[in-house]
Amino acid sequence: MMSLENPTIHKGFTISATASQRRDGRWVGSFVSQNLACGAYEDTCDYDDCSNEKEAQQVALSIGWRLADSAPMR
């Protein structure tokens, strides 16, 4: 997986990610994707086994990128 800057800008969206550690030790990433035309979208990516904070953030950023790719351009 390529390494993405945090926050990153893709197709007019500013995507930033955070990560938090669950009680079982796994890391969960969350992202916020913002665009002036579309507003903000926020989601938590709790379906990948992430072993550290950086990995969880990268997963969240990559999902934000895919959402930006599929967003209708206005």
Side-chain angles (χ1 to χ4, degrees):
M1 173 173 16
M2 69 177 187
S3 185
L4 300 169
E5 290 293 318
N6 186 18
T8 187
I9 296 174
H10 180 60
K11 292 195 170 181
F13 288 85
T14 300
I15 305 160
S16 57
T18 58
S20 56
Q21 194 170 25
R22 297 184 349 173
R23 279 188 226 146
D24 64 5
R26 287 179 46 213
W27 285 86
V28 178
S30 300
F31 72 91
V32 176
S33 178
Q34 294 178 297
N35 177 293
L36 289 176
C38 303
Y41 180 80
E42 195 171 342
D43 200 6
T44 299
C45 316
D46 192 10
Y47 46 83
D48 281 308
D49 269 324
C50 296
S51 58
N52 60 58
E53 182 179 14
K54 175 86 171 158
E55 184 184 5
Q57 288 177 353
Q58 290 295 308
V59 167
L61 288 170
S62 68
I63 292 170
W65 267 59
R66 286 196 296 259
L67 270 168
D69 281 339
S70 64
M73 300 311 280
R74 294 182 186 185

